[in-house]
Amino acid sequence: MKVKKAVIPAAGFGTRFLPATKVVPKELLPIVDKPTIQYIMEEVASAGIEEVILITGREKGSIEDHFDTSTELENHLRKKKREDLLKIVQEISGMVTLVSVRQKEPLGLGHAILCARKIVGKDPFAVLLGDDLIDAKIPCIGQMMEVYQNMEGALLAIQKVPRQETHLYGIIKGKKVMDRVYSVEEMVEKPEKGKAPSNLAIIGRYILPPRIFDILERVKPDKRGEIQLTDGLRALNREVPIYGYEFIGDRYDAGDKLGYLQANLSFGLKHPEIGSKLKKYLMTLFPYP
Ligand code: G1P
């Protein structure tokens, strides 16, 4: 079944980036010259998904503004004959149809997704987490939609991570059933150090059946009072198969200070305007081979 809708949770406080995120939502922090959430939106659009449901919280109105038309700015650029910038600005507002829903309390990722229930309706849908930026020739969610065509149930993006980092992720235990595809047998959200069932981590891209909503409604909050998507997935796995897909691409954790800087450097080095100058600059920092 074709995936036509994507849910992007963007309601978090961005505490890891304070004070930068006191007023500016973390989703609008730029990687070079584009807000992180625009990379996610471009991924969705280039995979052919037509509608995005943005889950927002307080003080997040500027995210919607970013994807809206800005008549004043457009008139200004027209007057200044900056057709190049005008095109960039106009493309953003035409990218996808955006619907936003408020998550009224910060009750976790599972709860954020539940907020999209009415708008998603009865078809399988995609979920993309804004902290995970994936640089890939074929957009990660597009790769997953291709794989999902021949399956039912749910599909999660996965990636091997170093053993000492497994406590930062949802971790699966699975059996390889095809090239890059694992059948998921077990899932644990952020296992204690040394207790992970493997080093296959869930990365923030999912294709989920609408049945997950009924399940998330019944999931009990964890110790921190949050409803975890991974707990919902574990219950879903008792009813339908869940698969993990090892995507092709480079992933950056833009929700982490180091990952954010790495993404900036990596995208900066590829940027047509500053790439070669940035490379020269970096070489001056490490002059000796
Ligand atoms: C979320 C999920 C986790 C997943 C991670 C990927 O955690 O709960 O299962 O591995 O995203 O980035 P978060 O990093 O939002 O705490």
Side-chain angles (χ1 to χ4, degrees):
M1 199 178 291
K2 198 171 171 319
V3 174
K4 293 193 192 126
K5 296 183 183 179
V7 176
I8 303 182
F13 284 113
T15 37
R16 282 194 277 177
F17 278 92
L18 280 171
T21 48
K22 190 179 167 205
V23 181
V24 180
K26 74 167 174 181
E27 293 80 6
L28 291 183
L29 297 180
I31 303 290
V32 190
D33 49 10
K34 244 189 254 177
T36 54
I37 195 162
Q38 192 177 326
Y39 289 88
I40 308 285
M41 224 46 110
E42 287 174 357
E43 180 178 336
V44 165
S46 62
I49 292 177
E50 293 147 16
E51 186 175 337
V52 169
I53 302 147
L54 192 68
I55 312 299
T56 64
R58 285 175 59 77
E59 316 287 350
K60 297 279 188 160
S62 47
I63 302 179
E64 289 154 55
D65 293 346
H66 181 76
F67 292 100
D68 197 358
T69 41
S70 168
T71 318
E72 257 176 50
L73 175 64
E74 288 180 21
N75 284 342
H76 171 78
L77 294 172
R78 227 172 262 124
K79 223 156 82 201
K80 295 276 169 201
K81 304 219 177 319
R82 291 303 309 264
E83 305 299 332
D84 51 339
L85 293 179
L86 183 64
K87 186 166 169 269
I88 291 173
V89 167
Q90 285 175 331
E91 270 171 8
I92 302 171
S93 50
M95 222 173 264
V96 288
T97 303
L98 195 66
V99 178
S100 73
V101 181
R102 281 270 182 129
Q103 183 186 22
K104 298 202 175 82
E105 285 173 281
L107 294 179
L109 178 59
H111 178 260
I113 290 168
L114 195 50
C115 295
R117 178 175 203 159
K118 279 206 185 115
I119 304 171
V120 165
K122 303 225 175 305
D123 293 330
F125 62 101
V127 174
L128 294 92
L129 305 187
D131 283 347
D132 289 314
L133 285 189
I134 299 172
D135 189 14
K137 271 204 196 104
I138 302 171
C140 179
I141 200 67
Q143 294 176 38
M144 292 172 69
M145 282 159 64
E146 185 75 35
V147 174
Y148 191 75
Q149 272 184 354
N150 311 312
M151 22 174 96
E152 46 162 0
L155 184 63
L156 325 174
I158 53 169
Q159 186 181 46
K160 292 194 179 95
V161 297
R163 280 273 173 186
Q164 62 274 23
E165 290 177 16
T166 48
H167 66 288
L168 300 171
Y169 298 92
I171 301 289
I172 68 150
K173 181 177 168 223
K175 207 166 63 200
K176 200 165 187 181
V177 288
M178 265 188 275
D179 187 30
R180 299 189 168 274
V181 180
Y182 291 74
S183 163
V184 176
E185 291 163 352
E186 212 186 288
M187 265 168 287
V188 200
E189 181 65 15
K190 306 201 174 79
E192 279 173 36
K193 281 191 182 162
K195 293 208 176 146
S198 80
N199 67 339
L200 289 171
I202 303 173
I203 302 301
R205 301 288 183 277
Y206 308 77
I207 296 179
L208 304 175
R211 173 77 182 139
I212 190 74
F213 294 124
D214 299 320
I215 291 172
L216 285 173
E217 283 206 323
R218 295 196 304 264
V219 169
K220 298 244 163 23
D222 65 3
K223 306 190 272 254
R224 290 160 58 211
E226 294 188 353
I227 294 170
Q228 292 300 343
L229 175 61
T230 307
D231 292 338
L233 291 172
R234 201 180 309 112
L236 181 72
N237 208 13
R238 283 183 221 121
E239 298 179 14
V240 296
I242 298 189
Y243 297 96
Y245 168 67
E246 241 184 316
F247 61 91
I248 305 168
D250 298 323
R251 173 245 175 195
Y252 301 90
D253 181 2
D256 167 79
K257 290 187 186 82
L258 180 62
Y260 176 75
L261 286 178
Q262 284 166 334
N264 265 293
L265 286 176
S266 185
F267 282 86
L269 286 167
K270 288 188 192 172
H271 196 287
E273 206 180 304
I274 60 159
S276 58
K277 285 184 197 150
L278 176 61
K279 188 172 175 191
K280 270 192 203 135
Y281 169 69
L282 290 175
M283 309 257 271
T284 66
L285 297 179
F286 307 101
Y288 308 106

